[in-house]
C-alpha cells in the first residue's frame, strides 16, 4: 500500500490519507475522535450515464440487488446485521455513481467492512431470478410512488430529456423506464456486476473514531483478495456546446395542485471555477427566502407560493441550473416568466451587491461545513472528489474555491448562461381549475 496525507489550506484542520490495494481499490481514511462512531462509504464509478439504450435503470436496479444477499449474508441480512449492531445504512444512484454507506458504533467497524467486501466479492453467487424479479418489482413500484403518481413527479425526467439531446449519456435519469426494467435479464445483471462492481472501479472511505493501522489491516484482509476487472468501457462523451442555442418548451396538462414554471439552464461542468461562480449566482437569485426571485415573485408580486433556483453539479456533462416556481391562485405563467427574465437580465446587467455576495458565499460555506461536520457526510465527500476528480483532498478545501470567486465572475456566469436561449422550459397547467370550482361552490352557497 502507498499513501499520502495532507492538511489542505482552508480545511479546518481536517486531514485524509489515501491508500491503494494491489487490486486497485482506493482507500481514504480520515480520523475524527469526537464521537465513538465510524462511517464507511463505498462509491462505484457507475451511474446511469454508463447505461446503453434499451437497458436504462440497471445502475439503480443494482443498488437494490446489492441488498439482496451475498455468499455469506443471506436475504435481508445486510440490513439486519448493521441495524442489529446499532448502525444505519443505505445506498443511492445518480447519473455518475452508485454509493453504499453505513454509520456504525466505532467498535462495529469491522462488521461493516466485512459486509461490503462480501457483496463486492461474492454477490453473483446469490444473484438469481428470484432476487432479480423481487427487486425489479420494488424499483418499478418506487418509480410509481416517486415519479409517475405524484404531482410534478416526472418533471426532472422531462427536463433532463430536453436539456440533453437524444443519444446523450445524461438524456435519461437513473430511475430508468418501465419497459427497460422489464427487459433486463439475469445475464444483463450479471454482466453489469462483473463490469462495474470491481475493486479497481471503487473508492472506499472510512471516517471517524478509527485506528488507521487496524482499519487498513481489516481492509486488506477482507477486500485484498477480490480480483480486479479490466472490462469496463469509459462512459460515452458527455460534452455539449456551452449553450443550448434556443429555447425548448413543453406544456404539460396534468392533475397538479397549481400552475408551475420549471426550467433547466445549461451551466459549466462541476470542478471548474465557472461552476463555482454559477453556484454563487443561483444562490443569490433563488437560494432561499432572501433570494431575488423569492422576494420578487412570492413577497412582492405574490404570483408564486414558492420560487427556487439551484445548481445540479455534474462532472461528465454540463451542469444544470434548476428553476422551480409554483404559481399562486390564478397567477398566469407568462407573467411569472416575464418577471423571472426581468430579474435575470437585471442581475446580468448590474451584477451582485457586496451584501448578496457575502450572504451567498456564507450560505454555501455553511452547506459545506454541514456536509463535512458528520462522519458520514465527510466520507461521502471524500469519495465524491476521489471518483469524479481523482483527488479526495479536494473535498477538504472545496469551500475556499467558492469563497475566492469574484463578483465580476458571478456576473459573467449569469450574463453568459442565464438567458432565454439557453434553457429547456416545462410549464404545468392543471387539468382542473380550483379557482373556477371555488367560484361555483360560492355561488351554490348563496
Amino acid at each position: 500500500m502507498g499513501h499520502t496525507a495532507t492538511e489542505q489550506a482552508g480545511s479546518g484542520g481536517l486531514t485524509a490519507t489515501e491508500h491503494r490495494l494491489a487490486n486497485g481499490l482506493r482507500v481514504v481514511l480520515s480520523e475524527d475522535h469526537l464521537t465513538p462512531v465510524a462511517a464507511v462509504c463505498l462509491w462505484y464509478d457507475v451511474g446511469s450515464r454508463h447505461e446503453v439504450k434499451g437497458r436504462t435503470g440497471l445502475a439503480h436496479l443494482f443498488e437494490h440487488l446489492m441488498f439482496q444477499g451475498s455468499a455469506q449474508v443471506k436475504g435481508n441480512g445486510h440490513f439486519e446485521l448493521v441495524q442489529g449492531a446499532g448502525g444505519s445504512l443505505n445506498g443511492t444512484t445518480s447519473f455518475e455513481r452508485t454509493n453504499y454507506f453505513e454509520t456504525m458504533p466505532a467498535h462495529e467497524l469491522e462488521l461493516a467492512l466485512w459486509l461490503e467486501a462480501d457483496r463486492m466479492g461474492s454477490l453473483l453467487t446469490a444473484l438469481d431470478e428470484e432476487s432479480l424479479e423481487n427487486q425489479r418489482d420494488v424499483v418499478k413500484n418506487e418509480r410509481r410512488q416517486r415519479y409517475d403518481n405524484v404531482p410534478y413527479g416526472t418533471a426532472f425526467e422531462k427536463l433532463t430529456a430536453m436539456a440533453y439531446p437524444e443519444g446523450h449519456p445524461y438524456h435519461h435519469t437513473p430511475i430508468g423506464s418501465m419497459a427497460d426494467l422489464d427487459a433486463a435479464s439475469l445475464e444483463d445483471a450479471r454482466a453489469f456486476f462483473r463490469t462495474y462492481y470491481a475493486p479497481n472501479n471503487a473508492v472506499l472511505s472510512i471516517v471517524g473514531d478509527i485506528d488507521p493501522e487496524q482499519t487498513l489491516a481489516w481492509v486488506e484482509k477482507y477486500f485484498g483478495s477480490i480480483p480486479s476487472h479490466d472490462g469496463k468501457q469509459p462512459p460515452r462523451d458527455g460534452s455539449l456546446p456551452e449553450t443550448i442555442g434556443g429555447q425548448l418548451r413543453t406544456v404539460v396538462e396534468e392533475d397538479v395542485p397549481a400552475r408551475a414554471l420549471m426550467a433547466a439552464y445549461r451551466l459549466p461542468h462541476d470542478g471548474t471555477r465557472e461552476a463555482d461562480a454559477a453556484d454563487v449566482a443561483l444562490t443569490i437569485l433563488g437560494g432561499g427566502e432572501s433570494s431575488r426571485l423569492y422576494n420578487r415573485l412570492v413577497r412582492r408580486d405574490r404570483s408564486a407560493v414558492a420560487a427556487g433556483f439551484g445548481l445540479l453539479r455534474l462532472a461528465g456533462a454540463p451542469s444544470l441550473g434548476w428553476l422551480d416556481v409554483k404559481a399562486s391562485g390564478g397567477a398566469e405563467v407568462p407573467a411569472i416568466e416575464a418577471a423571472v427574465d426581468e430579474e435575470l437580465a437585471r442581475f446580468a446587467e448590474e451584477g451582485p451587491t457586496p451584501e448578496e455576495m457575502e450572504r451567498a458565499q456564507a450560505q454555501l460555506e455553511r452547506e459545506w461545513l454541514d456536509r463535512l461536520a458528520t462522519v458520514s457526510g465527510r466520507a461521502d465527500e471524500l469519495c465524491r472528489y476521489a471518483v469524479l476528480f481523482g483527488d479526495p483532498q479536494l473535498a477538504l478545501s472545496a469551500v475556499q474555491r467558492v469563497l475566492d470567486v469574484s463578483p465580476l465572475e458571478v456576473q459573467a456566469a449569469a450574463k453568459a448562461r442565464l438567458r432565454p436561449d439557453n434553457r429547456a422550459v416545462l410549464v404545468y397547467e392543471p387539468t382542473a381549475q380550483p379557482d373556477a370550482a371555488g367560484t361555483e361552490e360560492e355561488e351554490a352557497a348563496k
Side-chain angles (χ1 to χ4, degrees), residues 12 25 27 48 89 132 147 185 202 219 240 282 342 394 443:
L25 178 68
V27 184
S48 58
L89 71 163
L132 176 64
Y147 292 80
S185 68
V219 171
L240 289 169
L282 297 192
E342 184 180 312
L394 293 172
E443 291 296 324

Side-chain angles (χ1 to χ4, degrees), residues 13 52 94 145 291 305 310 389:
V52 297
S94 76
Q145 291 180 340
S291 67
V305 295
F389 306 108

Side-chain angles (χ1 to χ4, degrees), residues 92-114:
T92 68
T93 311
S94 76
F95 290 104
E96 301 182 318
R97 60 96 184 103
T98 309
N99 67 345
Y100 304 89
F101 44 92
E102 296 90 5
T103 300
M104 308 287 285
H107 67 280
E108 296 286 4
L109 171 60
E110 185 181 8
L111 172 62
L113 294 173
W114 174 75

Side-chain angles (χ1 to χ4, degrees), residues 162 247-251 261 333-334 337 341 423-427:
M162 295 166 67
Q247 183 170 210
L248 308 174
R249 180 177 293 267
T250 298
V251 177
L261 170 68
V333 168
E337 191 169 357
D341 286 342
R423 69 185 177 199
V425 177
L426 195 60
V427 175

Side-chain angles (χ1 to χ4, degrees), residues 278-354:
D279 205 355
V280 176
L282 297 192
T283 302
I284 293 170
L285 288 163
E289 295 184 4
S290 64
S291 67
R292 289 195 181 196
L293 290 176
Y294 192 94
N295 279 321
R296 171 68 186 271
L297 299 171
V298 180
R299 287 202 173 100
R300 197 192 97 176
D301 296 354
R302 298 188 177 181
S303 59
V305 295
F309 207 0
L311 180 63
L312 173 62
R313 287 178 176 262
L314 296 170
S319 301
L320 289 182
W322 186 270
L323 174 73
D324 188 350
V325 181
K326 301 297 193 306
S328 63
E332 299 284 348
V333 168
I336 293 174
E337 191 169 357
V340 168
D341 286 342
E342 184 180 312
E343 291 299 323
L344 297 188
R346 184 164 66 89
F347 187 77
E349 181 63 29
E350 301 172 1
T353 67

Side-chain angles (χ1 to χ4, degrees), residues 149 316 376 386 401 412:
N149 297 334
S376 58
R401 295 186 289 278

